[in-house]
C-alpha cells in the first residue's frame, strides 16, 4: 500500500496540461515551410519516394509525404521542417503546402457537418480499424491515451465494438484483404458517424500507393471527415485534430490546476 | 570434383548466385533435413522460391549458431511436380512450404497442414479467398468454437483467431493471417530508387523500424560491395538497442494492463515516452523513421546526444527498478503470469521459434551473439535465457534485456565516433549476386535475402520477420489455458501481423 503510494508519488505530474501549445522535444518533423529559394526543382521532386513534391512552384502534399526529411537534408535552404504538429484538416487540399505558406493547418469549422459539433462535441467514441497499417500509427494512437497525452480527459475514447462507436479511425493503406472487414465495420457503426484517416498510408496509400495488393474503393464511397497527416501520426497531432473536428471553438482552455 | 552440399557463408556476405550448389529435389531435401537433425544450434532462417526461366528455383538457408555460419543450397523444380515435403520430417519448414505452395502452386504430397498462408495478391490460386479459410474443426456436442477478429477490440492490427473450447478451456487455437498483406516484397523489386526501398523497409513493421531498416541497409551495402563505416555501425547498434528498450517497456505496460494492474500499466507506459522522445531528438521521429540509411546517416550522433541519453537513463532507471521490483514480487501478478501460456523446450525446438520466443524456453537463439553484425562484433553479448516458457519468463526476459541494453548503451556513450557529413554515395548492386542479412531485433531474428540478375537488378527480395516462426508458438501456448488468459498470452508474445503478411 505505502509502496504503491510511493511509486505514484515518484511519477510526479506526468500529463501534458496544454496539448495545443506544448512543445515537442528535439527536431520533430512537422509542418514544412518551403522558401522561395531557387533550386533545381526537377531533382528535388525526383528524390521524393512518394511523389509528394510538385514543381513550378514547389509544393509538398503532406497527405503523401512520409516525413522522411530527405528533401530538407538535400535542399536545406528550400525546405525547412518546423516542429508544428498541427497537421490535421477536414479539407484535403489544405494538406498541400505551397511556397511561402507559413499558415498553420486547421480544421475548417464551416464545412463540418452541423450534427458533429452538436452530438460529439463533448463525447466521441471511436472504433479503430487497421487496414494494412504497419503498427506505427496504431502504436501512437495507443500512446495518445497514456498518462501523458491522456486523450480520454477530452471525452474521446477508443471502444471495442463498432456498435458503441460514433465513427472509425482508419490506419494503413487499406489492403485488399481488409477492404470487406472495413466496410462491414463501418456499416455496424450507427448514424451519424465520422470517418478519420490517420497517417500518410491511410490518406494516400503512402509508399504503397501503387501496390496491386490494395483496395481503396471505400474512400471514394464515403465522406471523409478528417485527415491527420504523419508517419506515424504524433499523439498531439491526433488529439488536436479530433478536437478541432468535434469542438466548435476548437480546444477550450483546459483547467491545469487539478 | 564432387558437388559440395552447400556453400557456407557469414551473415551479410555476398556471393555469386552460381556459387550456391544445386541439387535434385531429393538430395536437396535430404541435405537440409540432415543439417538440422539432432543439432539444436541449427535452424532454418529462410527457405523460398522464385521463378527463373520457367522453373522454380528453391533456396534454403540454414544458420549454424555455433559455427557462426549460414549454409545455403538450391534446387530447381517444375510447378507441376508432386514433391515430398520437408515438413513431414521437420516442422521448422511448415510455414516456408505453405508460402511456396501458395505462391507457386507447388504440390506437396505429405505436408500435414498445407493451408493458405497470407492470401497474397499474386498467389497461384486466386479462387482461394480470405473469407473461406479452411479452419480445423471438431464435430462434437461438448466443444464450441469462438471466433475473434479480423478486427480486434483494441487498437491493434487485424488477424482472425479461431478457438475450439471445452467450456472455458482452450483445446485448440488456429490463427489465420493475411489481412495486412500489402505486396511489399514485390514493391521492393518494382521500385528502383534506394530511398523508395528504404522507405519500404521502414514500413515492413512500424514497431520494428530500426530492426528491418538496419537489416535492409546492411544487406544493401554488402550487395553493393560497400564497407560500412564504423560510425554507421555504431549508430545502428545504438538505435537497435533503443528500439528494444522502448518496445520492451511498452510490452511490460501492456502485460500489466491485461492483468488489470493499473499502476504498472501507467508507469511502464509513461517510461516508454522518454526513450521514444529521445529517438525524436536524435532523428525527428519517435519510431526512428528516417534515421537509418544505406551508406550514410542524415542525423549524426553527437556527444550532446550521448549526454542527453545518460541523463534520460539516470531518470529512467530508478523509476523502472522501483515498479519492476514491485511487479515481480506482487503475488496477484505472479499468479497471473506463472505457468500461464507455457511452451516447452521441445515444442519451441519443433516449431523453430526465434528471439524471445526461443529464449523463454531455454533455446539459445540470439543473432547478436551467434551471427554478429554492426557493432555487436565488439560487444560480448550474453543472451538472456529463461526456462519456463510462460508469460512470466517472457516478462522476465524483457525486464532483464532492458537493463542489459542500458548497460551496453551507457558503455557505447563513452566512445561516440566521429561522423561524416551526410552525403549520398553511389551504391550499385553487383550482378548475379546472392546476399543474406540477419539482425536480432527486439522480437527476434529478422532475415532478408536478395538476388540480382546479370544487370544488377533485383530478381527477388525476401523478407522474414521473427513472427513468421513465432505465431505457431502462441497457438501452442494457449492450449489448455482458460480463454480469459488469451489476451495476456498474446501480449506477452506481441507478434507482428504486418511483418508476417508483408
Ligand atoms: S520529407 Fe516528404 S516531401 Fe520530403 S522527400 Fe520525404 S516524403 Fe518527400
Amino acid at each position: 500500500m505505502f509502496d504503491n503510494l510511493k511509486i505514484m508519488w515518484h511519477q510526479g505530474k506526468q500529463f501534458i496540461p496544454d496539448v495545443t501549445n506544448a512543445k515537442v522535444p528535439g527536431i520533430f518533423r512537422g509542418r514544412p515551410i518551403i522558401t522561395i529559394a531557387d533550386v533545381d526543382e526537377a531533382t528535388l521532386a525526383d528524390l521524393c519516394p512518394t511523389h509528394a513534391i510538385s514543381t513550378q512552384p514547389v509544393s509538398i502534399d503532406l497527405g503523401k509525404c512520409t516525413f522522411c526529411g530527405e528533401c530538407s537534408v538535400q535542399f536545406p535552404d528550400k525546405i525547412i521542417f518546423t516542429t508544428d504538429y498541427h497537421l490535421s484538416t477536414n479539407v484535403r487540399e489544405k494538406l498541400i503546402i505551397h511556397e511561402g505558406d507559413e499558415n498553420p493547418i486547421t480544421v475548417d469549422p464551416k464545412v463540418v457537418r452541423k450534427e458533429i459539433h452538436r452530438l460529439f462535441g463533448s463525447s466521441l467514441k471511436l472504433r479503430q480499424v487497421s487496414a494494412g497499417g504497419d503498427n506505427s500509427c496504431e502504436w501512437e494512437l495507443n500512446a495518445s491515451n497514456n498518462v501523458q497525452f491522456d486523450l480520454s480527459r477530452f471525452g474521446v475514447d477508443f471502444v471495442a465494438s463498432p456498435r458503441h462507436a460514433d465513427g472509425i479511425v482508419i490506419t494503413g493503406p487499406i489492403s485488399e484483404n481488409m477492404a470487406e472487414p472495413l466496410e462491414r465495420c463501418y456499416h455496424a457503426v450507427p448514424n451519424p458517424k465520422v470517418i478519420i484517416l490517420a497517417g500518410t498510408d491511410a490518406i494516400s496509400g503512402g509508399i504503397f500507393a501503387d501496390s496491386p495488393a490494395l483496395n481503396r474503393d471505400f474512400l471514394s464511397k464515403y465522406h471523409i471527415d478528417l485527415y491527420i497527416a504523419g508517419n506515424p501520426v504524433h499523439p498531439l497531432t491526433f488529439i488536436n485534430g479530433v478536437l478541432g473536428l468535434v469542438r466548435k471553438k476548437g480546444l477550450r482552455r483546459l483547467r491545469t490546476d487539478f | 570434383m564432387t558437388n559440395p552440399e552447400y556453400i557456407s557463408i557469414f551473415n551479410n556476405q555476398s556471393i555469386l548466385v552460381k556459387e550456391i550448389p544445386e541439387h535434385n529435389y531429393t538430395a536437396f531435401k535430404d541435405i537440409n533435413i540432415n543439417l538440422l537433425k539432432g543439432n539444436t544450434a541449427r535452424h532454418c532462417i529462410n527457405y523460398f522460391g522464385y521463378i527463373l526461366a520457367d522453373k522454380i528455383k528453391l533456396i534454403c538457408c540454414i544458420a549454424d549458431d555455433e559455427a557462426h555460419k549460414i549454409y545455403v543450397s538450391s534446387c530447381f523444380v517444375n510447378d507441376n511436380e508432386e514433391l515430398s515435403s520437408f515438413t513431414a520430417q521437420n516442422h521448422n519448414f511448415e510455414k516456408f512450404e505453405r508460402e511456396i505452395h501458395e505462391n507457386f502452386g507447388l504440390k506437396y504430397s505429405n505436408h500435414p497442414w498445407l493451408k493458405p498462408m497470407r492470401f497474397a495478391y499474386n498467389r497461384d490460386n486466386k479462387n482461394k479467398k480470405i473469407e473461406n479459410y479452411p479452419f480445423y474443426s471438431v464435430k462434437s456436442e461438448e466443444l464450441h468454437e469462438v471466433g475473434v477478429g479480423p478486427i480486434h477490440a483494441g487498437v491493434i492490427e487485424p488477424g482472425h483467431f479461431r478457438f475450439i473450447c471445452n467450456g472455458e478451456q482452450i483445446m485448440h487455437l488456429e490463427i489465420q493471417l493475411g489481412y495486412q498483406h500489402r505486396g511489399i516484397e514485390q514493391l521492393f523489386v518494382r521500385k528502383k530508387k534506394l530511398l523508395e526501398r528504404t522507405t519500404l523497409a521502414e514500413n515492413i513493421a512500424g514497431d520494428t523500424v530500426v530492426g528491418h531498416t538496419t537489416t535492409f541497409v546492411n544487406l544493401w551495402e554488402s550487395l553493393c560491395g560497400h564497407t560500412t563505416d564504423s560510425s554507421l555501425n555504431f549508430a545502428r547498434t545504438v538505435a537497435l538497442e533503443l528500439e528494444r528498450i522502448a518496445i520492451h517497456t511498452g510490452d511490460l505496460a501492456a502485460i500489466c494492463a491485461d492483468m488489470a494492474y493499473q499502476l504498472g500499466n501507467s508507469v511502464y507506459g509513461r517510461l516508454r515516452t522518454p526513450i521514444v522522445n529521445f529517438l525524436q531528438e536524435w532523428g525527428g521521429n519517435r519510431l526512428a523513421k528516417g534515421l537509418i540509411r544505406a551508406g550514410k546517416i542524415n542525423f549524426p550522433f553527437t556527444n550532446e546526444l550521448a549526454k542527453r541519453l545518460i541523463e534520460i537513463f539516470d531518470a529512467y532507471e530508478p523509476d523502472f527498478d522501483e515498479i519492476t521490483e514491485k511487479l515481480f514480487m506482487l503475488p496477484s501478478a505472479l499468479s497471473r503470469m506463472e505457468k500461464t501460456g507455457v511452451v516447452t523446450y521441445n515444442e519451441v525446438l519443433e516449431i523453430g521459434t526465434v528471439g524471445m520466443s526461443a529464449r523463454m524456453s531455454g533455446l539459445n537463439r540470439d543473432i547478436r551473439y551467434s551471427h554478429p553484425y554492426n557493432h555487436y562484433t565488439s560487444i560480448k553479448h550474453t543472451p538472456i535465457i529463461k526456462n519456463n516458457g510462460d508469460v512470466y519468463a517472457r516478462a522476465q526476459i524483457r525486464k532483464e534485456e532492458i537493463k542489459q541494453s542500458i548497460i551496453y548503451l551507457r558503455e557505447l556513450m563513452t566512445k561516440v565516433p566521429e561522423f561524416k557529413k551526410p552525403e549520398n554515395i553511389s551504391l550499385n548492386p553487383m550482378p548475379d549476386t546472392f546476399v543474406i542479412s540477419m539482425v536480432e531485433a527486439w522480437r527476434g531474428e529478422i532475415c532478408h535475402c536478395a538476388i540480382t540478375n546479370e544487370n544488377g537488378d533485383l530478381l527477388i527480395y525476401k523478407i522474414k520477420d521473427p513472427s513468421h516462426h513465432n505465431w505457431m508458438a502462441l497457438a501452442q501456448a494457449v492450449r489448455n489455458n482458460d480463454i480469459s488468459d488469451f489476451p495476456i498470452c498474446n501480449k506477452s508474445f506481441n507478434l507482428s501481423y504486418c511483418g508476417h503478411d508483408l
Side-chain angles (χ1 to χ4, degrees):
Chain A
M1 163 72 186
F2 285 113
D3 292 356
N4 286 342
L5 289 175
K6 215 166 77 192
I7 293 174
M8 273 181 343
W9 175 254
H10 286 162
Q11 307 312 310
K13 213 187 248 182
Q14 283 293 332
F15 75 99
I16 301 170
D18 182 350
V19 290
T20 299
N21 300 305
K23 290 257 171 298
V24 288
I27 50 166
F28 175 69
R29 276 186 294 285
R31 176 176 53 83
I33 293 173
I34 308 170
T35 68
I36 50 165
D38 207 12
V39 296
D40 176 358
E41 295 191 1
T43 311
L44 171 62
D46 192 51
L47 71 84
C48 177
T50 49
H51 313 289
I53 304 179
S54 305
T55 54
Q56 295 183 324
V58 174
S59 66
I60 298 183
D61 182 352
L62 296 185
K64 292 184 179 169
C65 171
T66 62
F67 296 83
C68 72
E70 190 66 32
C71 52
S72 105
V73 169
Q74 294 198 29
F75 293 88
D77 302 327
K78 184 72 185 168
I79 292 164
I80 300 152
F81 278 91
T82 73
T83 57
D84 178 9
Y85 48 77
H86 294 268
L87 302 169
S88 307
T89 179
N90 49 350
V91 183
R92 177 66 178 85
E93 294 71 46
K94 284 197 182 193
L95 286 181
I96 302 174
I97 308 286
H98 301 278
E99 243 175 42
D101 273 0
E102 297 216 16
N103 295 331
I105 299 170
T106 52
V107 175
D108 185 349
K110 289 198 289 295
V111 289
V112 176
R113 285 178 283 147
K114 293 278 165 312
E115 64 267 29
I116 290 187
H117 287 146
R118 187 164 51 83
L119 293 171
F120 304 141
S122 44
S123 163
L124 179 72
K125 305 294 164 206
L126 295 167
R127 180 81 275 270
Q128 204 274 320
V129 183
S130 169
D134 72 352
N135 204 24
S136 61
C137 277
E138 293 77 357
W139 209 80
E140 288 293 46
L141 294 183
N142 277 317
S144 303
N145 215 11
N146 69 16
V147 290
Q148 285 128 341
F149 298 108
D150 197 12
L151 173 67
S152 51
R153 69 180 130 159
F154 305 110
V156 183
D157 282 303
F158 288 103
V159 292
S161 164
R163 307 245 181 244
H164 304 157
D166 305 315
I168 57 173
V169 180
I170 303 174
T171 54
I174 314 189
S175 53
E176 169 73 50
N177 291 346
M178 269 309 282
E180 200 197 318
L182 168 65
E183 184 97 29
R184 286 218 225 164
C185 177
Y186 176 71
H187 288 300
V189 177
N191 279 317
K193 50 190 162 187
V194 297
I195 302 178
I196 297 172
L197 302 183
T200 297
D201 286 354
I203 298 173
S204 68
I207 191 72
F208 305 107
D210 52 358
S211 169
L214 305 187
N215 177 354
R216 294 172 57 77
D217 291 350
F218 179 87
L219 301 180
S220 47
K221 275 193 266 181
Y222 305 105
H223 173 74
I224 307 300
D225 293 281
L226 189 64
Y227 302 89
I228 306 180
N231 178 36
V233 296
H234 192 280
L236 291 175
T237 313
F238 182 75
I239 295 173
N240 281 286
V242 170
L243 295 179
L245 174 71
V246 296
R247 294 195 173 172
K248 210 173 191 166
K249 299 220 172 61
L251 187 59
R252 269 172 270 152
R253 276 222 59 86
L254 296 156
R255 286 183 54 197
T256 56
D257 54 343
F258 49 88
Chain B
M1 202 179 103
T2 54
N3 189 6
E5 293 192 328
Y6 48 79
I7 179 166
S8 146
I9 59 175
F10 289 110
N11 190 8
N12 288 312
Q13 188 180 340
S14 296
I15 50 169
L16 288 173
V17 182
K18 64 169 190 271
E19 293 178 77
I20 304 174
E22 239 176 74
H23 304 282
N24 64 43
Y25 183 77
T26 314
F28 176 63
K29 187 178 81 171
D30 291 345
I31 289 166
N32 286 297
I33 297 278
N34 284 334
L35 274 173
L36 297 189
K37 203 168 269 167
N39 193 330
T40 59
R42 291 181 187 159
H43 72 290
C44 178
I45 51 173
N46 230 333
Y47 175 32
F48 59 92
Y50 65 106
I51 292 178
L52 200 67
D54 287 344
K55 287 192 158 208
I56 296 154
K57 182 162 189 177
L58 300 173
I59 298 217
C60 187
C61 314
I62 306 284
D64 186 326
D65 290 353
E66 269 162 16
H68 313 296
K69 290 281 210 161
I70 301 160
Y71 309 135
V72 188
S73 55
S74 72
C75 159
F76 273 103
V77 289
N78 291 314
D79 59 3
N80 50 13
E81 264 175 83
E82 182 158 311
L83 304 170
S84 144
S85 78
F86 287 29
T87 311
Q89 293 179 50
N90 186 324
H91 285 177
N92 280 199
F93 295 97
E94 181 253 352
K95 263 283 165 70
F96 292 115
E97 288 194 321
R98 276 169 70 180
E99 183 181 39
I100 293 169
H101 169 72
E102 176 167 274
N103 290 350
F104 307 108
L106 280 194
K107 293 180 231 7
Y108 289 111
S109 54
N110 53 355
H111 189 294
W113 203 247
L114 202 55
K115 300 191 180 195
M117 168 156 170
R118 60 167 78 90
F119 297 89
Y121 79 91
N122 54 342
R123 62 191 177 274
D124 179 67
N125 184 349
K126 304 239 170 24
N127 295 326
K128 290 191 178 161
K129 300 270 190 240
I130 196 156
E131 55 271 25
N132 298 325
Y133 179 88
F135 282 105
Y136 177 74
S137 102
V138 178
K139 289 218 176 352
S140 153
E141 301 263 310
E142 280 86 35
L143 304 181
H144 67 278
E145 291 188 4
V146 181
V148 181
I151 303 175
H152 294 291
V155 182
I156 62 167
E157 300 175 70
H160 187 93
F161 300 114
R162 187 72 63 93
F163 300 90
I164 299 176
C165 296
N166 180 9
E168 293 293 300
Q169 202 183 30
I170 302 169
M171 315 297 319
H172 173 82
L173 163 62
E174 187 163 356
I175 300 169
Q176 178 205 355
L177 299 170
Y179 295 94
Q180 297 285 70
H181 175 66
R182 299 153 292 169
I184 277 206
E185 291 180 336
Q186 290 70 37
L187 289 178
F188 260 98
V189 175
R190 234 175 56 194
K191 294 192 185 279
K192 304 287 180 219
K193 288 189 213 148
L194 177 56
L195 184 55
E196 291 175 326
R197 287 176 173 151
T198 314
T199 308
L200 282 171
E202 285 184 338
N203 286 273
I204 293 170
D207 52 27
T208 323
V209 173
V210 183
H212 275 288
T213 317
T214 301
T215 318
F216 169 70
V217 295
N218 285 347
L219 175 146
W220 201 254
E221 286 165 0
S222 168
L223 182 61
C224 300
H226 176 79
T227 317
T228 311
D229 194 80
S230 67
S231 63
L232 298 182
N233 281 328
F234 171 90
R236 288 169 199 173
T237 306
V238 170
L240 280 164
E241 292 307 319
L242 284 170
E243 186 169 75
R244 187 179 327 274
I245 298 171
I247 307 278
H248 279 2
T249 311
D251 282 353
L252 288 172
I255 290 173
C256 288
D258 273 340
M259 49 194 183
Y261 182 43
Q262 190 55 37
L263 185 65
N265 175 243
S266 302
V267 176
Y268 286 121
R270 77 110 182 134
L271 279 172
R272 186 181 66 178
T273 306
I275 309 294
V276 290
N277 278 353
F278 178 77
L279 285 170
Q280 179 179 294
E281 285 182 45
W282 176 11
N285 187 295
R286 301 206 325 151
L287 281 92
K289 289 190 178 182
L291 185 63
I292 309 292
R293 291 291 177 262
K296 66 163 184 176
I297 183 164
N298 285 340
F299 308 96
F301 200 87
T302 59
N303 282 314
E304 287 74 70
L305 283 169
K307 230 176 99 214
R308 269 293 289 149
L309 188 58
I310 297 296
E311 279 166 27
I312 288 168
F313 286 152
D314 287 346
Y316 174 104
E317 283 198 281
D319 287 340
F320 178 84
D321 292 345
E322 189 181 32
I323 187 69
T324 302
E325 195 176 319
K326 180 84 191 166
L327 172 68
F328 286 83
M329 298 280 282
L330 199 64
S332 54
L334 293 178
S335 77
R336 284 298 307 280
M337 295 194 283
E338 283 176 336
K339 302 202 170 59
T340 305
V342 178
V343 194
T344 64
Y345 175 80
N346 286 336
E347 285 165 349
V348 291
L349 197 60
E350 183 180 341
I351 298 168
T353 61
V354 296
M356 273 193 289
S357 303
R359 299 196 290 276
M360 67 186 189
S361 308
L363 183 59
N364 186 355
R365 283 195 184 148
D366 191 326
I367 302 300
R368 287 178 287 177
Y369 112 94
S370 58
H371 303 269
Y373 50 93
N374 297 130
H375 208 74
Y376 294 103
T377 44
S378 31
I379 296 176
K380 289 248 165 310
H381 174 63
T382 322
I384 288 170
I385 314 275
K386 299 290 159 197
N387 294 300
N388 294 335
D390 53 3
V391 173
Y392 185 61
R394 295 187 280 279
Q396 273 181 313
I397 289 185
R398 288 182 170 93
K399 169 184 90 171
E400 291 175 32
E401 287 195 345
I402 288 170
K403 298 296 282 183
Q404 188 183 45
S405 296
I406 293 179
I407 293 173
Y408 292 160
L409 285 173
R410 281 186 184 276
E411 171 68 22
L412 285 174
M413 290 306 109
T414 62
K415 38 189 178 204
V416 179
E418 280 290 326
F419 278 81
K420 293 200 196 79
K421 265 179 66 126
E423 205 180 316
N424 284 324
I425 49 168
S426 103
L427 290 168
N428 298 310
M430 297 183 290
D432 293 318
T433 301
F434 167 89
V435 56
I436 187 163
S437 173
M438 284 194 287
V439 157
E440 183 77 16
W442 62 271
R443 254 187 207 106
E445 147 206 317
I446 293 175
C447 177
H448 293 192
C449 294
I451 296 174
T452 56
N453 69 8
E454 66 277 12
N455 303 320
D457 286 335
L458 277 184
L459 276 177
I460 178 166
Y461 195 84
K462 196 81 204 86
I463 301 160
K464 191 210 64 190
D465 187 86
S467 311
H468 170 102
H469 303 274
N470 295 350
W471 276 109
M472 186 57 100
L474 171 62
Q476 192 61 41
V478 299
R479 282 196 174 186
N480 298 321
N481 282 244
D482 280 0
I483 194 163
S484 53
D485 275 335
F486 174 69
I488 194 173
C489 290
N490 192 16
K491 288 292 163 50
S492 70
F493 280 92
N494 191 6
L495 302 176
S496 177
Y497 300 77
C498 54
H500 173 280
D501 295 346
L502 299 175

